[in-house]
Amino acid sequence: RHSHRHPQSFLTVATRRKMQLYAVGSLIFVIGFQVVLCLCLGCSGVSIIWCAMCGWIMSERRRQASDRLNDTAIHGDVASESERIDDEILNASRLEKMEATVILVNVLTICYYAVALPIITTVAHICALVLGAVLSLMSITLYDSDTISTGDLAPFASNHAQSLLTSSNYSADPSNENAAPS
């Protein structure tokens, strides 16, 4: 099943916070993994960390491109360029250029290490790319389950409707404030 995430502007503050905390937690996990790996194998460096970060970025870029294609196929081009806020376009463009630069530098560095160091180093780098991509995909899964369980599209529903959807004591009794509408 294709996971579709809503644009950041539609997310509640709580969900954005959870996504940020998951990203930071993933980074801490990867740093810990690198430290344990170096202690156990006697290696040095931070290449697992930057490769995992690159894997995360590549996974996110792929997901965003896929979402844009799906949105265009389903809804057409909903907003023309002239309707978008110039700052958002500029910031997205800067971020995309930065991400593309990170990916290019990472690929070139992995290629250099593939030539200069034993093959196990390249295998470790590729595994770290996969680790980053998997952590990113896990964040999407967590986001989707959070959206389903908490009704993340709260800006589009009234507070009463939200409370009805999330209430555990939902009943048809009209005297109950959580009652189903008649």
Side-chain angles (χ1 to χ4, degrees):
R1 152 186 175 271
H2 173 71
S3 174
H4 178 76
R5 288 167 51 169
H6 298 281
Q8 284 282 10
S9 59
F10 294 138
L11 299 178
T12 64
V13 172
T15 297
R16 272 193 298 251
R17 172 70 68 171
K18 287 177 188 175
M19 291 170 70
Q20 291 168 346
L21 288 173
Y22 181 80
V24 169
S26 294
L27 178 60
I28 291 169
F29 168 77
V30 170
I31 291 169
F33 180 74
Q34 175 80 65
V35 168
V36 169
L37 188 66
C38 287
L39 290 174
C40 292
L41 299 179
C43 63
S44 62
V46 292
S47 61
I48 299 301
I49 297 168
W50 54 258
C51 283
M53 291 171 65
C54 184
W56 179 293
I57 291 169
M58 289 168 46
S59 178
E60 287 291 310
R61 285 178 62 110
R62 182 175 177 271
R63 180 203 48 81
Q64 290 167 1
S66 175
D67 283 353
R68 279 193 298 269
L69 285 174
N70 285 341
D71 287 346
T72 302
I74 294 170
H75 305 292
D77 189 14
V78 177
S80 69
E81 289 297 319
S82 62
E83 295 171 348
R84 296 182 188 180
I85 299 172
D86 289 338
D87 287 344
E88 287 181 15
I89 294 170
L90 183 60
N91 288 337
S93 176
R94 286 180 185 160
L95 181 61
E96 288 173 359
K97 287 177 184 174
M98 225 172 14
E99 288 174 343
T101 302
V102 166
I103 292 168
L104 177 65
V105 169
N106 195 327
V107 168
L108 291 174
T109 305
I110 290 173
C111 290
Y112 167 76
Y113 283 150
V115 172
L117 297 175
I119 190 71
I120 190 68
T121 306
T122 303
V123 171
H125 290 155
I126 292 170
C127 288
L129 286 170
V130 172
L131 173 64
V134 167
L135 289 170
S136 170
L137 292 172
M138 287 174 60
S139 76
I140 293 168
T141 303
L142 291 173
Y143 164 80
D144 284 346
S145 66
D146 185 51
T147 299
I148 292 166
S149 66
T150 63
D152 193 25
L153 297 178
F156 302 107
S158 69
N159 288 338
H160 182 67
Q162 276 305 107
S163 68
L164 286 174
L165 292 172
T166 57
S167 174
S168 59
N169 57 351
Y170 182 85
S171 79
D173 179 8
S175 63
N176 183 346
E177 67 178 308
N178 293 324
S182 336

